[in-house]
Amino acid sequence: MTPNITLPKVYLVDDYPSQLSLIQKLCENIRLETRLWDNPRQFLRELPRDASGCLVSDLLMPEMTGLQVHNELRRTGVPLTTIILTANGDTSSCRDGFQLGVFDFIEKTCHPREVVERIQAAMDLNRRQQQMRHLQAQMEQRLGRLSIREQEVAVLLASGQSLRDVGSHLNITPQSVSKHRNSIFEKLQVNNEVELFRVVHHKELGPAAPNLFKFSGTVDQAYTMTDTPVSN
């Protein structure tokens, strides 16, 4: 089921909004929906918690800097991809911003069309990240359906162990392993051990994906979980 989320937008924040009017027009020309604020605090108050898309913010504003706005979004968990506009190449701010996850710094002297190209790249990245979060949530939900015993069986099957070998490791019969296997496949919505491997080790999520399955480190770690007897 697809989560109910706000449609992606380009959020423009500058205490002199006229400076962003051309960028806003160019975004809308390529069908990117935009919203414009001249006050960063008001922007943060009015921004939906489920907002997605791209933030384009001036670096230096009277009430807050663009980096402070970005940090507040991170603190509150609003997953916008941030571009900071600056009137000069502030090396220190750029370095700090990149370390904090800012997507890009762009000088205001840059041609507006180049800014829009970077906005498109930021929107593409945000869309991929949103898809990844949705997939992670789906996988967490599926994996949460497994019992402790099923988790143990799943990681061993995903490592290429036969039913007999899994049974030997867990001190249960191959018939019991087969029953657990059928239940695992049904709960995780997979058809074979290859698909199970991808779920357990999150190959669909890419290299940046977090570990969702607590036994996905190594098979040896999974074996240690069986020191304490668990019912079939």
Side-chain angles (χ1 to χ4, degrees):
M1 181 176 180
T2 303
N4 184 21
I5 58 174
T6 302
L7 292 177
K9 297 180 180 65
V10 180
Y11 298 91
L12 305 166
V13 182
D14 195 321
D15 53 317
Y16 291 100
S18 59
Q19 295 185 5
L20 298 181
S21 59
L22 179 55
I23 294 175
Q24 182 179 30
K25 182 176 180 180
L26 290 173
C27 285
E28 292 175 347
N29 284 345
I30 58 174
R31 298 184 179 180
L32 290 176
E33 187 175 350
T34 65
R35 291 196 63 187
L36 181 61
W37 278 266
D38 61 4
N39 184 301
R41 295 193 184 279
Q42 183 180 2
F43 160 71
L44 291 171
R45 286 195 300 270
E46 297 178 358
L47 183 69
R49 297 299 92 182
D50 61 350
S52 64
C54 174
L55 165 67
V56 180
S57 175
D58 189 12
L59 175 61
L60 300 178
M61 296 177 285
E63 294 192 28
M64 298 179 72
T65 69
L67 287 180
Q68 288 174 325
V69 175
H70 171 74
N71 286 340
E72 184 62 15
L73 293 178
R74 293 184 68 199
R75 187 188 69 81
T76 55
V78 180
L80 296 184
T81 302
T82 302
I83 292 175
I84 301 292
L85 299 180
T86 176
N88 52 65
D90 185 339
T91 304
S92 177
S93 293
C94 292
R95 182 179 62 249
D96 293 345
F98 285 130
Q99 290 176 346
L100 293 170
V102 171
F103 176 74
D104 207 354
F105 279 80
I106 302 176
E107 292 191 16
K108 289 186 175 181
T109 55
C110 185
H111 194 285
R113 292 191 183 278
E114 294 181 29
V115 178
V116 173
E117 288 177 358
R118 297 308 295 152
I119 290 174
Q120 286 180 295
M123 294 288 283
D124 288 341
L125 174 62
N126 189 266
R127 181 168 51 252
R128 292 195 302 271
Q129 291 174 333
Q130 183 173 318
Q131 291 171 344
M132 181 181 293
R133 286 190 294 271
H134 178 51
L135 182 55
Q136 288 174 205
Q138 285 184 321
M139 295 181 72
E140 285 179 333
Q141 184 180 38
R142 292 181 190 178
L143 293 168
R145 299 170 186 164
L146 301 185
S147 68
I148 296 296
R149 175 59 90 194
E150 288 171 342
Q151 292 176 25
E152 294 172 337
V153 171
V155 74
L156 294 172
L157 288 174
S159 72
Q161 299 290 313
S162 68
L163 297 182
R164 185 179 298 277
D165 288 340
V166 173
S168 176
H169 282 301
L170 299 181
N171 197 28
I172 58 178
T173 66
Q175 291 78 11
S176 293
V177 176
S178 180
K179 290 179 181 178
H180 288 308
R181 177 183 181 273
N182 292 338
S183 177
I184 290 165
F185 281 16
E186 181 179 354
K187 291 179 179 179
L188 298 186
Q189 299 175 26
V190 298
N191 297 309
N192 52 54
E193 278 75 4
V194 173
E195 293 180 8
L196 177 63
F197 177 89
R198 290 172 179 166
V199 172
V200 170
H201 296 282
H202 319 302
K203 296 300 182 183
E204 299 94 334
L205 297 182
N211 287 329
L212 303 178
F213 196 80
K214 65 181 179 180
F215 300 120
S216 62
T218 66
V219 174
D220 288 341
Q221 290 173 338
Y223 296 162
T224 65
M225 299 299 296
T226 65
D227 291 342
T228 301
V230 183
S231 63
N232 293 347

